[in-house]
mmCIF file of all heavy atoms in Angstrom:
data_model
loop_
_atom_site.group_PDB
_atom_site.id
_atom_site.type_symbol
_atom_site.label_atom_id
_atom_site.label_comp_id
_atom_site.label_asym_id
_atom_site.label_seq_id
_atom_site.Cartn_x
_atom_site.Cartn_y
_atom_site.Cartn_z
ATOM 1 N N HIS A 445 73.527 95.052 102.517
ATOM 2 C CA HIS A 445 73.754 94.267 101.342
ATOM 3 C C HIS A 445 73.872 95.121 100.070
ATOM 4 O O HIS A 445 73.335 94.769 98.974
ATOM 5 C CB HIS A 445 72.525 93.162 101.223
ATOM 6 C CG HIS A 445 72.314 92.493 102.426
ATOM 7 N ND1 HIS A 445 73.150 91.300 102.736
ATOM 8 C CD2 HIS A 445 71.456 92.588 103.451
ATOM 9 C CE1 HIS A 445 72.804 90.977 103.962
ATOM 10 N NE2 HIS A 445 71.699 91.518 104.340
ATOM 11 N N SER A 446 74.468 96.156 100.367
ATOM 12 C CA SER A 446 74.653 97.233 99.085
ATOM 13 C C SER A 446 76.106 97.452 98.917
ATOM 14 O O SER A 446 76.963 97.376 99.829
ATOM 15 C CB SER A 446 73.958 98.500 99.535
ATOM 16 O OG SER A 446 72.603 98.391 99.752
ATOM 17 N N ASP A 447 76.324 97.925 97.682
ATOM 18 C CA ASP A 447 77.617 98.669 97.439
ATOM 19 C C ASP A 447 77.346 100.202 97.679
ATOM 20 O O ASP A 447 76.296 100.707 97.014
ATOM 21 C CB ASP A 447 77.981 98.443 95.964
ATOM 22 C CG ASP A 447 78.836 97.112 95.790
ATOM 23 O OD1 ASP A 447 79.748 97.040 96.523
ATOM 24 O OD2 ASP A 447 78.417 96.342 95.036
ATOM 25 N N LEU A 448 78.188 100.830 98.460
ATOM 26 C CA LEU A 448 77.865 102.195 98.750
ATOM 27 C C LEU A 448 78.889 103.000 98.049
ATOM 28 O O LEU A 448 80.089 102.849 98.222
ATOM 29 C CB LEU A 448 78.061 102.376 100.300
ATOM 30 C CG LEU A 448 77.919 103.787 100.783
ATOM 31 C CD1 LEU A 448 76.541 104.561 100.441
ATOM 32 C CD2 LEU A 448 78.133 103.864 102.295
ATOM 33 N N TYR A 449 78.486 103.844 97.039
ATOM 34 C CA TYR A 449 79.353 104.727 96.349
ATOM 35 C C TYR A 449 79.203 106.119 96.836
ATOM 36 O O TYR A 449 78.151 106.786 96.896
ATOM 37 C CB TYR A 449 79.119 104.685 94.934
ATOM 38 C CG TYR A 449 79.425 103.439 94.169
ATOM 39 C CD1 TYR A 449 78.546 102.254 94.351
ATOM 40 C CD2 TYR A 449 80.602 103.392 93.389
ATOM 41 C CE1 TYR A 449 79.051 101.161 93.602
ATOM 42 C CE2 TYR A 449 80.942 102.180 92.785
ATOM 43 C CZ TYR A 449 80.230 101.063 92.860
ATOM 44 O OH TYR A 449 80.551 99.926 92.279
ATOM 45 N N ILE A 450 80.354 106.647 97.452
ATOM 46 C CA ILE A 450 80.372 107.933 97.954
ATOM 47 C C ILE A 450 81.219 108.966 97.117
ATOM 48 O O ILE A 450 82.302 108.650 96.840
ATOM 49 C CB ILE A 450 80.816 107.968 99.509
ATOM 50 C CG1 ILE A 450 80.208 106.810 100.186
ATOM 51 C CG2 ILE A 450 80.628 109.284 100.155
ATOM 52 C CD1 ILE A 450 80.973 106.469 101.532
ATOM 53 N N CYS A 451 80.712 110.127 96.761
ATOM 54 C CA CYS A 451 81.447 111.069 96.087
ATOM 55 C C CYS A 451 81.227 112.483 96.530
ATOM 56 O O CYS A 451 80.022 112.957 96.469
ATOM 57 C CB CYS A 451 81.316 111.007 94.528
ATOM 58 S SG CYS A 451 82.337 112.071 93.603
ATOM 59 N N GLY A 452 82.254 113.125 96.886
ATOM 60 C CA GLY A 452 82.175 114.481 97.361
ATOM 61 C C GLY A 452 83.451 114.928 97.990
ATOM 62 O O GLY A 452 84.482 114.281 97.796
ATOM 63 N N PRO A 453 83.471 116.122 98.706
ATOM 64 C CA PRO A 453 84.760 116.585 99.350
ATOM 65 C C PRO A 453 85.243 115.505 100.310
ATOM 66 O O PRO A 453 84.392 114.812 101.146
ATOM 67 C CB PRO A 453 84.304 117.833 100.096
ATOM 68 C CG PRO A 453 83.039 118.214 99.509
ATOM 69 C CD PRO A 453 82.398 117.063 98.959
ATOM 70 N N GLY A 454 86.537 115.426 100.418
ATOM 71 C CA GLY A 454 87.171 114.343 101.296
ATOM 72 C C GLY A 454 86.625 114.294 102.691
ATOM 73 O O GLY A 454 86.135 113.087 102.981
ATOM 74 N N PRO A 455 86.597 115.338 103.532
ATOM 75 C CA PRO A 455 86.220 115.084 104.885
ATOM 76 C C PRO A 455 84.675 114.766 105.050
ATOM 77 O O PRO A 455 84.391 113.892 105.816
ATOM 78 C CB PRO A 455 86.332 116.611 105.442
ATOM 79 C CG PRO A 455 87.336 117.187 104.541
ATOM 80 C CD PRO A 455 87.193 116.561 103.191
ATOM 81 N N TRP A 456 83.924 115.265 104.100
ATOM 82 C CA TRP A 456 82.528 114.888 104.025
ATOM 83 C C TRP A 456 82.345 113.465 103.728
ATOM 84 O O TRP A 456 81.605 112.698 104.366
ATOM 85 C CB TRP A 456 81.690 115.712 103.039
ATOM 86 C CG TRP A 456 80.342 115.366 102.798
ATOM 87 C CD1 TRP A 456 79.216 115.726 103.531
ATOM 88 C CD2 TRP A 456 79.850 114.534 101.752
ATOM 89 N NE1 TRP A 456 78.136 115.132 102.927
ATOM 90 C CE2 TRP A 456 78.459 114.353 101.965
ATOM 91 C CE3 TRP A 456 80.471 113.729 100.821
ATOM 92 C CZ2 TRP A 456 77.721 113.609 101.161
ATOM 93 C CZ3 TRP A 456 79.672 112.943 99.984
ATOM 94 C CH2 TRP A 456 78.297 112.834 100.203
ATOM 95 N N ALA A 457 83.022 113.017 102.697
ATOM 96 C CA ALA A 457 82.827 111.628 102.250
ATOM 97 C C ALA A 457 83.431 110.615 103.395
ATOM 98 O O ALA A 457 82.857 109.554 103.629
ATOM 99 C CB ALA A 457 83.849 111.406 101.006
#
Side-chain angles (χ1 to χ4, degrees):
Chain A
H445 306 284
S446 301
D447 274 304
L448 174 63
Y449 287 80
I450 311 164
C451 183
W456 173 87

